[in-house]
Structure formats: structure tokens, C-alpha cells
Amino acid sequence: LKVGLAGLGTVGAAVARELSVKSELLAERSGRSIEVVAVSARDKNKDRGISLEGIEWFENAVALAESPDVDVVAELIGGSDGIAFDVVKTALERGRHVVTANKALVALHGVEIASIADEKGVALNYEAAVAGGIPVIKALREGLVVNRISRVFGILNGTCNYILTNMEATKRPFTDVLKEAQDLGYAEADPTFDVDGIDAAHKLSILAALAFGARVDFDGVYCEGIRRIAPVDFEYAAQFGYRIKLLAIAENSEDGVIQRVHPCIVPINTPIADVNGVSNAVIAEGDAVGQTVYEGPGAGDGPTASAVIADIVDIARGLIQPAFMRPASRLAPLQRGDLSQRVGAFYLRLGVLDRPGVIAKVTQVLAEQEISIGSFVQRGVTEDGAVNVVIMTHTTTEAAFGRALSAIESLSEVVEKPCKIRVEDF
Ligand code: NAP
Ligand code: HSE
């Protein structure tokens, strides 16, 4: 099986290395030899720690996708549009199998490219696009095929989990820990995709399409990132018995599927609270199987290459199946649920002026929305002279909490943008 690698960065170079070092093992396991015959990247002279001897170099990755000498194009460049999209579309139109690690591309153009793959009878495999080294696409597409999935959720961004874990453990600032995650090759080319929750939303929309048998609906994902989380939030959360995680959740509700990505506080004694560092976890709940849990490294060269190569080996073994479990033409639009009806508790940190009557005003607003307070802490003075007030509410609706938050934000004594975190008790 002749493979062309478009992109030789963190992931592409690791794929080239593993395919070369494990060539005999892979030939035994797939029944066919797998060989990299073509590569493309921007800089031909960059030292990538791999030998490119005897491999054709393409200045233009689209020309690689057009090459008749290539059976499988692995798109490992990134980005939802531009060159990555052109490479994938061209390869599929020419009847080449495609493997990609590009969640942005699959989230935004998944159905369009899956239609071309269906028409040409070739594979569009994207295991590495979701949860790095964890074979969760395979689990949903194959292992859980008989199940109606009611909920799929988890930790889908390794960079954010790395940042949150290390901010909590070492009390270092956000920017330092982000830099470390970038140096380790975890972050996207534009790390705002990681920290603003967009990368997790891309991945969630792909999982939801598979889980609920619908078109990918990235625009339907409610998305909040981790920028507003301050070191002090980890201390308060711990005091209440919680830990902070960025979770991605897609679940069936009465009126449709709610997809959301946002920071959550989860009880310290739950398994998801113990998923640390670059690890990801995915939990899928099916009617036949019950709850299944998958955990492992969610980013980085080796884990991602492991998933890309599994996709290539599927093709070598002749396992060609529709990208989203059924032909793209039979995927209906995802029916969206109404997030405002979600019921849950909230953590709310406010920076308020230390004046008589302020707490009374805040609690009055909550009472007007029939939101009951579970716990309350006032402690310390922030740098600008405000005091931190942290409230844990009892269960309420998103709509009621949203109204209360707007009213609280408009109080003149509230001098910082509040930090709200949803409580998830799985
Ligand atoms: P990266 O290190 O930035 O590598 C990107 C590669 O694409 C580089 O080799 C670059 O060439 C090449 N490239 C850029 N523009 C090109 C063009 N116009 N023509 C040909 N090649 C071009 O990125 P990465 O971390 O490997 O990520 C690649 C993909 O995998 C992305 O879709 C990412 O979301 C996904 N992914 C990454 C991880 C991870 O942990 N890193 C995990 C899962 C999925 P030069 O090297 O010459 O600059
Ligand atoms: N930037 C992504 C992450 C890479 O941190 O999870 C893996 O998809």
C-alpha cells in the first residue's frame, strides 16, 4: 500500500518514523507491506529526524494528492480550509483513500467530503481527529454499532487538560503552562482553538454525528473556553470537593441533542476528575451496552501517529466503510435540543466591592430567579481591592441562571467579570 504524507510536522514526521521502524510488524499484521512513497511540507531542508531517501518530495501537496503512485493520502497539515481541504478533496475525487487527523476539516466539511468518498468507494478515515491515541471512532463506528447512544461526553482537548492540571498542581500562570503544552507539540497551530474550546467543539460535533446518526453540526455546539479560570478557582473548587475540567458533552434531551463545551466542576472522587495532563477520556452510553469509558493520551506525536496508522492499516486490510457509519446522503440534519432548559448547579465567583449590603443585593437577585444557594464563601481581597465572593447554587435552569447572572453583572458593586462554572455530577 503506497502512502503519501501531506504534512511532516509533529504528527506527519511521527507517522513516517513509525511506518519505517515498524514496517515488518505492520506487514505481518495487515497482510500487506505499507510504504511511504511521497511527502510534502513547506520546508524541504528542515531536519525532521527522519530519512526521506527514496521518497518523492512534492512542493505542492495537491500535486501529491493527484499522484497516480499514491494509494492513500494522509492529510496531516491542518486547518479547515485552504490547502488541507484542497488536498483531501482532490485525493478523494481521484479515487485515493484519505486518512486525516484534521478535526477542523471533518467538523466543517465532513459530510461534503464523505459524499465524495462514498461516490468513489474509498475510505475517509479520521481516528486521530478525535481524542488523539484513543480509538474512539472505531469504538463508536464498529464496537458499539448496535447501540442507540444517549450521551457521549468527556475530556477532548489535551492542551486544556494539561493546562488545568498543571495550573492546579503548580499554581503557575495560564500563559506559562500553555507555552509548555505548545513546546510538547500538543497545541493547535493557533492555540486559541484549544483554549477557547473550539478544538473540543470540533471533536464533539464529530462524535455527536456518529453517536446520533446525523450530519456534523459544529455550529450547533455551545462553546466556552478556559481563559476566565483563575488559579484561585482551583482552590475554591477543592474547598467544595471539586476539580475543574473542560468537558465536551453531547446528550439527547426531550427536544433534540444538546452539544456543549465548557469548563465544569466535577466531584473530586469521580473517575473523570482523575484524568490528568494531556490525557483525554470519552464516555459513551448506549442502550445495549450501558456506560463505556475510554481513556488515553489525547495529543502528541506518538499517540496521534498510532491512530493515523491504525486508519492506514484498516485500508490495507480492505476495511472500507462509510465515514459516518451510513452513506452521507442518508444523514439527516442533527435535531438540536434547547440548552436553556438544562438543569444543573453553578459555581459563581464574583469580584465585589467590600461594602455593606452587597451580598444582600446578590442574594436578592438569585432569590428573584428562585435560585437557592448551597454554599457561600467570602475571602481575601483581590489586587484591585475587591473581595472574592464564591457561591455554589443548588440546581436551577440555564435560563434562570442566565437571567440572574445578567442582573448581577449590572450591579455597580460587581467590579470584575464574574466567573461561572457549571457543576456536572456524572
Ligand atoms: P504541525 O506540526 O504544525 O505540522 C504541520 C505540517 O504541515 C508541517 O510539516 C508543515 O510544513 C506542513 N504544511 C503547512 N502548510 C503546508 C502547505 N501549504 N503544503 C504542504 N505542507 C504544509 O501540525 P501537527 O501538530 O502535526 O498537526 C497536523 C494535523 O494533525 C492538524 O490537523 C492537527 O489538528 C492534527 N492533530 C494534531 C495533534 C497533535 O498532538 N499535534 C493531535 C491530533 C490531531 P513545515 O514542517 O515545512 O512547516
Ligand atoms: N490540540 C489538540 C489537543 C491536539 O490539545 O487536544 C489533539 O487533537
Side-chain angles (χ1 to χ4, degrees):
L1 187 79
K2 294 184 204 134
V3 178
L5 300 178
L8 278 178
T10 304
V11 181
V15 170
R17 189 169 50 246
E18 286 293 307
L19 284 176
S20 160
V21 172
K22 311 267 178 68
S23 64
E24 278 179 32
L25 178 82
L26 288 170
E28 274 168 29
R29 290 185 175 174
S30 62
R32 209 170 155 185
S33 77
I34 299 172
E35 192 190 349
V36 176
V37 297
V39 292
S40 179
R42 280 177 301 205
D43 181 357
K44 194 173 179 182
N45 299 316
K46 198 188 267 187
D47 178 10
R48 303 171 192 276
I50 48 171
S51 165
L52 297 178
E53 213 181 302
I55 299 176
E56 190 174 1
W57 177 274
F58 283 83
E59 289 298 332
N60 179 352
V62 176
L64 178 150
E66 287 170 339
S67 166
D69 298 332
V70 169
D71 302 313
V72 180
V73 174
E75 182 280 303
L76 306 169
I77 296 173
S80 61
D81 293 276
I83 184 76
F85 179 70
D86 292 344
V87 165
V88 168
K89 200 161 176 244
T90 304
L92 293 172
E93 282 169 348
R94 301 274 166 142
R96 314 276 178 266
H97 302 288
V98 166
V99 170
T100 180
N102 189 338
K103 47 276 161 130
L105 175 79
V106 179
L108 272 67
H109 302 295
V111 177
E112 180 186 349
I113 55 179
S115 304
I116 308 172
D118 290 346
E119 192 188 311
K120 298 289 177 182
V122 293
L124 168 64
N125 290 348
Y126 51 88
E127 184 65 73
V130 181
I134 309 174
V136 67
I137 302 298
K138 212 173 202 8
L140 284 172
R141 210 156 58 164
E142 297 172 35
L144 300 181
V145 69
V146 74
N147 287 270
R148 290 194 191 285
I149 304 289
S150 51
R151 179 161 69 172
V152 58
F153 67 100
I155 294 173
L156 296 183
N157 186 268
T159 302
C160 284
N161 207 45
Y162 184 88
I163 292 172
L164 294 173
T165 304
N166 283 284
M167 278 177 75
E168 181 183 8
T170 65
K171 300 187 169 46
R172 279 180 304 150
F174 172 84
T175 42
D176 283 15
V177 189
L178 170 61
K179 167 81 175 49
E180 217 169 76
Q182 287 177 292
D183 293 344
L184 288 163
Y186 302 156
E188 294 306 299
D190 177 354
T192 61
F193 274 53
D194 296 293
V195 299
D196 290 336
I198 299 160
D199 178 77
H202 286 147
K203 294 165 178 168
L204 183 70
S205 65
I206 297 169
L207 288 183
L210 277 171
F212 300 106
R215 292 171 161 256
V216 191
D217 182 22
F218 170 68
D219 289 341
V221 185
Y222 170 83
C223 184
E224 271 178 40
I226 63 167
R227 285 182 204 264
R228 283 222 308 284
I229 311 290
V232 71
D233 291 313
F234 296 98
E235 289 171 37
Y236 285 118
Q239 200 173 323
F240 294 125
Y242 291 92
R243 183 163 282 153
I244 303 169
K245 294 287 173 195
L246 182 77
L247 295 190
I249 303 163
E251 59 196 340
N252 238 333
S253 69
E254 267 176 22
D255 44 3
V257 176
I258 299 175
Q259 304 179 89
R260 53 194 171 100
V261 171
H262 49 73
C264 294
I265 64 172
V266 293
I268 277 172
N269 57 4
T270 50
I272 204 141
D274 273 335
V275 177
N276 290 317
V278 73
S279 289
N280 280 191
V282 179
I283 293 130
E285 295 170 351
D287 57 354
V289 72
Q291 191 178 75
T292 59
V293 182
Y294 314 85
E295 187 184 339
D301 54 358
T304 312
S306 167
V308 170
I309 293 172
D311 276 349
I312 296 173
V313 168
D314 271 355
I315 295 165
R317 288 173 171 160
L319 182 62
I320 314 297
Q321 52 187 328
F324 295 101
M325 225 176 334
R326 63 189 82 182
S329 58
R330 285 206 243 132
L331 295 166
L334 187 84
Q335 189 171 336
R336 292 182 188 172
D338 180 3
L339 178 59
S340 71
Q341 296 311 310
R342 175 193 165 262
V343 171
F346 286 84
Y347 164 104
L348 178 64
R349 174 173 50 80
L350 304 171
V352 301
L353 296 178
D354 197 5
R355 281 193 196 147
V358 177
I359 300 304
K361 285 188 183 175
V362 170
T363 53
Q364 172 66 26
V365 168
L366 292 170
E368 279 162 12
Q369 295 302 328
E370 298 186 5
I371 299 172
S372 171
I373 296 174
S375 311
F376 180 97
V377 177
Q378 178 181 326
R379 188 156 59 84
V381 179
T382 66
E383 277 168 18
D384 44 11
V387 287
N388 269 327
V389 168
V390 176
I391 295 167
M392 295 282 290
T393 74
H394 281 306
T395 302
T396 179
T397 63
E398 286 276 332
F401 188 82
R403 286 190 295 270
L405 188 57
S406 306
I408 289 170
E409 274 182 297
S410 66
L411 294 174
S412 59
E413 295 88 347
V414 174
V415 291
E416 287 169 12
K417 180 131 183 85
C419 171
K420 75 157 193 260
I421 310 180
R422 291 169 180 82
V423 180
E424 290 292 344
D425 252 325
F426 295 117

